[in-house]
Structure formats: C-alpha cells, structure tokens
Amino acid sequence: MDFGLVLQTDPPASAVVSLMRRAERNGFRYGWTFDSAVLWQEPFVIYSQILEHTQKLIVGPMVTNPGTRTWEVTASTFATLNDMYGNRTVCGIGRGDSAMRVAGRKPNTLARVGEAIGVIRDLAEGREADVGGQNLKLPWVRDGKLPVWMAAYGPKALALAGQKADGFILQLADPYLTESMVTAVRTAASDAGRDPASITICVAAPAYVGDDLEHARDQCRWFGGMVGNHVADLVARYGEHSDLVPEALTSYIKSREGYDYSHHGRAGNPSTDFVPDEIVDRFCLLGPAEAHIEKLTALRELGVDQFAVYNMHDAKEATIDAYGSEIIPALNR
C-alpha cells in the first residue's frame, strides 16, 4: 500500500516543502495539495520546490478542476515539471468545489470533467488533442507521463471515473462506502472494456494518531463538513432517499445549514458543528496506531492502493512521524 500526504498551501511555502520532505523520509510516496487559487497559494509553483528538495516523491493536486485554468495550460504545467524532474506528477481532478464556488462560479459539469481528463493527459504526454475545436500539441514533450485520477462520490461521477480515469480518489475512509464505490468504479471500467485492476484506488481522509479521541475528533470534524458539500449536491440532484446514493452517506447532512469557505479544510471550522462523532469516526482514522493499522488493513483488502493522509490539524509532524515509524511499516511488511 502506498501512502500520500495532503496539505493546504498556506504560507509560508517553505513549511509545505519541509513537511513534504519529512513525509518522504518517513516512507510516503505521494505529496498532494489542495488547489483553490483564492484560498491558498498557487500549488504548481510550490510543486517545483517540493520536487527539487525530494528524491522520488510524486506530487499533484487533490484536486484541480477543468474550470480555473485552460486545459493546455494545466497540461503544459504538468509536462514542464515532468521534464524538469522526471515524470513525478499526478493530476487529481474533480468538478471543483471551493475553487469554483469561492470565485463565484458553479462547479464544472461531469461532461466537462470527462473531456478534460483525456485532453490534459494527451497533451501532457505529447499527443495531439482537440481543445475547443482547435487541434493542439505540445511539440517539446518527450516521454511524458501523466496519470489522471478523478475524485468522485455520486453514481454518474463514479461511472465516469471508471470509464476515463487512471485512478479513483475517494475522499472518506469508511469501509462500507469504500467497498460500494470501488465496486461501482470497477464495474464501469469493465463495462467500458477497460481492465478494472488498472485503475488505482486512492482513499484520502484525515488521520490523527493518539489516545485522546475527543480531541482527535474535534481536530478532524471539519472533514465531515467538506464531504457534506459534495453530499448536499448529490441530495439536490438525486433526492434525499434515492436508491442511487446510499443513506449512510446522506443522512448526517440533514442538520447542515450552509458552509463558510473561509474556514474550508481547517480544524475548528464553525460550519461543521452539525457533523456527529459517528461520522468523524467513520470517515477519518483516529486513535492509537493499532486502530489505524486495523482500518487500513480492511481498506487494503477492499482494493485500496493508496491512503492519503489529510494533515490539517495540530499534530502535523507527529502524525507524519507516527505513520513512518509504526503504521507504514506494519502495512508493508
């Protein structure tokens, strides 16, 4: 099982680079960041520094979207980093939650996401692609490689991930939901004539190692609010009691009264007071190292290839070190 570290690009950027270096020393293979231009600093600038100061770490956004940058710019940026540092990037992509909404725009349609996946990958790998009716190619790309992984929750998005993406990003660590969503992605891949096993499965969620469960919950409760934004979209689209969206995912947002993106992804987010302890426990990894190992083992048995640690709380260094000393070695013996 691979492990990734997910950070927000808060200033100073040097702190982000330092945490990524620490992660690599502790056995993490991937370094991810949020990508929301108004809320945080520009991640692609910081990726160049992370790549310069690590040896093998693979970096990318969790997640970018096809609306805040033109697709040829996104592809060229990835391809430039790959040319400089040797194919060490991955493109996580989705509809765009905070990045689009904070800028006053709606998240992208799934059709647009699906088209962008192919175009960005083709351009970054040196192939010609149709961008808005214009055939484009990056003539300087040599031996480029860019896997594109798609974040998804709803049935249509899960199907699109299986049909188009190289990987599937699931932003919660509940084994019950993971099993059903991984099955949906792999079924869609098979129906599209693809090898289901070729799709990398990445589960991403906050992790907090320690015995004070109440404190850990309070530090990670924000995640239920973030997931709730996507769930609210699903409820609006499919209805509260739709067979297409499991009740285990939707029931907890009944008390949701809105969301303030100025606290997005941060411990103590007042917009997430509605999230019950049960959801925090289900969606996150909390408690002593043994509890993390037990849950990660279950996820691995469901076909999860990578666990990406959302590290937005008051124990960033301690979490990285605990994973490096106890949890990663136990999963990879």
Side-chain angles (χ1 to χ4, degrees):
M1 183 180 241
D2 282 335
F3 288 83
L5 183 72
V6 190
L7 299 174
Q8 294 166 336
T9 51
D10 289 313
S14 59
V16 178
V17 176
S18 178
L19 287 170
M20 291 298 187
R21 294 180 69 187
R22 190 185 197 110
E24 184 178 57
R25 292 196 301 271
N26 276 281
F28 289 76
R29 291 193 60 232
Y30 285 76
W32 302 92
T33 74
F34 282 31
D35 177 18
S36 190
V38 176
L39 296 178
W40 300 288
Q41 292 187 329
E42 171 54 40
F44 286 93
V45 176
I46 300 172
Y47 295 156
S48 65
Q49 288 296 299
I50 296 171
L51 291 165
E52 177 67 28
H53 290 92
T54 56
Q55 282 70 54
K56 296 181 179 179
L57 200 70
I58 298 167
V59 304
M62 189 177 280
V63 292
T64 193
N65 72 87
T68 53
R69 297 178 181 84
T70 60
W71 303 351
E72 68 272 18
V73 170
T74 299
S76 182
T77 306
F78 277 112
T80 301
L81 291 171
N82 284 337
D83 188 63
M84 293 172 68
Y85 298 104
N87 287 338
R88 290 170 54 198
T89 66
V90 57
C91 177
I93 195 169
R95 294 179 61 225
D97 177 32
S98 64
M100 296 295 286
R101 295 188 205 270
V102 170
R105 299 191 291 272
K106 293 181 179 180
N108 297 270
T109 64
L110 287 176
R112 184 171 171 82
V113 174
E115 185 181 359
I117 288 172
V119 168
I120 292 169
R121 181 171 51 212
D122 283 345
L123 290 175
E125 295 185 349
R127 294 183 295 275
E128 187 177 273
D130 182 332
V131 184
Q134 182 74 31
N135 288 332
L136 300 179
K137 183 177 181 179
L138 305 181
W140 48 269
V141 173
R142 297 289 183 272
D143 301 318
K145 186 67 177 175
L146 182 66
V148 182
W149 298 4
M150 181 181 164
Y153 292 109
K156 292 182 180 179
L158 294 169
L160 182 62
Q163 293 158 5
K164 299 266 189 171
D166 302 299
F168 163 48
I169 298 171
L170 174 58
Q171 291 163 309
L172 54 81
D174 176 64
Y176 171 76
L177 291 169
T178 297
E179 182 175 21
S180 65
M181 292 183 182
V182 169
T183 298
V185 169
R186 289 188 165 155
T187 299
S190 179
D191 290 345
R194 305 179 70 200
D195 177 7
S198 69
I199 299 175
T200 303
I201 307 297
C202 174
V203 161
Y208 198 106
V209 183
D211 294 324
D212 189 342
L213 194 56
E214 183 177 352
H215 179 73
R217 284 172 178 152
D218 287 342
Q219 287 292 302
C220 298
R221 197 174 306 277
W222 62 266
F223 184 67
M226 188 183 85
V227 174
N229 293 334
H230 302 285
V231 175
D233 284 347
L234 294 177
V235 170
R237 181 173 301 172
Y238 297 107
E240 187 176 335
H241 303 292
S242 170
D243 292 337
L244 296 174
V245 184
E247 187 176 357
L249 183 61
T250 62
S251 60
Y252 82 98
I253 70 162
K254 292 177 181 178
S255 300
R256 180 180 183 269
E257 296 181 351
Y259 191 82
D260 182 355
Y261 279 92
S262 66
H263 304 286
H264 189 56
R266 298 191 186 279
N269 185 339
S271 298
T272 61
D273 291 344
F274 71 92
V275 180
D277 288 349
E278 177 196 4
I279 288 296
V280 182
D281 292 348
R282 288 180 64 173
F283 286 8
C284 304
L285 276 78
L286 311 174
E290 293 78 15
H292 293 244
I293 293 167
E294 181 180 1
K295 193 166 190 178
L296 288 167
T297 299
L299 291 169
R300 183 178 61 185
E301 290 173 355
L302 294 175
V304 175
D305 301 297
Q306 178 184 155
F307 176 61
V309 176
Y310 275 111
N311 204 28
M312 298 90 182
H313 47 56
D314 64 2
K316 294 181 178 67
E317 291 85 356
T319 298
I320 294 169
D321 293 346
Y323 264 72
S325 63
E326 300 180 72
I327 297 166
I328 293 176
L331 268 293
N332 289 331
R333 286 195 184 108

